[in-house]
């Protein structure tokens, strides 16, 4: 019986250890700003450990001050294109990744005030691999269009 309990315990530990495993995903992101003003881009992920490339404005505002504050993609001037290649992250299985697009060249405090669903913020799901988008204006609202692969 003792051997059977050991086997059950070992199997339980194996199931628990594999259930919490993170997976590495890599993204290539290209964003063309076709509006008349700058846009601010931020990457966001669900689950997994905290990583600089995936730090949101809320994380910056709520977290400890750090010397290395490299996060998101930054500001894209009107008529310009930004590209981020091979952005990797550790994700929980089933977790999603997002590109946040804000209208304007914004501070962290300004971004925090703009909630998901606002006319000046779009949250776009991204997939591992190539992602290409164009940002356009519809009056005071920004819109993000996916560029289909050729």
């Amino acid at each position: 019986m003792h051997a059977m309990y050991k086997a059950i315990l070992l199997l339980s530990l194996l199931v628990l250890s594999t259930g919490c495993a993170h997976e590495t995903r890599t993204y290539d992101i290209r964003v063309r700003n076709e509006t008349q003003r700058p846009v601010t881009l931020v990457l966001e992920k669900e689950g997994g450990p905290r990583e600089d490339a995936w730090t949101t404005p809320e994380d910056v505002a709520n977290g400890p001050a750090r010397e290395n504050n490299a996060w998101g993609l930054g500001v894209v001037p009107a008529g310009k294109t930004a590209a981020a290649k091979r952005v990797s992250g550790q994700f929980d299985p089933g977790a999603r990744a997002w590109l946040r697009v804000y209208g304007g060249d914004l501070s962290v405090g300004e971004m925090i005030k703009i909630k998901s669903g606002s006319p000046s913020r779009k949250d776009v799901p991204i997939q591992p691999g190539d992602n290409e988008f164009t940002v356009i204006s519809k009056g005071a609202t920004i819109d993000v269009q996916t560029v289909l692969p050729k």
Side-chain angles (χ1 to χ4, degrees):
M1 281 288 239
H2 187 8
M4 187 163 115
Y5 287 120
K6 272 187 168 177
I8 290 172
L9 179 62
L10 188 58
L11 182 60
S12 298
L13 290 174
L14 182 60
V15 168
L16 286 175
S17 68
T18 58
C20 298
H22 299 297
E23 54 189 43
T24 301
R25 299 183 199 160
T26 303
Y27 299 80
D28 290 323
I29 304 156
R30 183 177 162 90
V31 180
R32 171 92 179 142
N33 180 7
E34 293 192 0
T35 71
Q36 298 301 310
R37 61 186 180 146
V39 295
T40 302
L41 308 176
V42 174
L43 296 175
E44 176 183 12
K45 69 175 184 160
E46 299 172 346
R50 187 170 178 171
E51 298 173 276
D52 284 346
W54 300 94
T55 301
T56 66
E58 294 82 4
D59 293 333
V60 172
N62 295 326
R66 298 189 311 214
E67 289 180 25
N68 179 13
N69 197 16
W71 55 280
L73 295 176
V75 177
V76 184
K80 300 295 182 182
T81 301
K85 297 193 178 283
R86 309 225 23 94
V87 179
S88 292
Q90 296 293 311
F91 290 79
D92 292 338
R96 297 174 293 178
W98 302 87
L99 171 68
R100 286 191 195 177
V101 181
Y102 295 89
D105 181 352
L106 305 177
S107 69
V108 169
E110 291 169 321
M111 285 185 276
I112 290 172
K113 293 176 187 174
I114 302 172
K115 302 301 178 199
S116 181
S118 165
S120 50
R121 173 179 162 183
K122 296 296 178 208
D123 296 356
V124 183
I126 56 175
Q127 303 300 321
D130 293 330
N131 296 268
E132 188 169 352
F133 305 99
T134 301
V135 182
I136 61 170
S137 293
K138 290 186 175 180
T141 302
I142 61 169
D143 193 26
V144 180
Q145 300 175 334
T146 301
V147 176
L148 299 175
K150 297 175 183 172

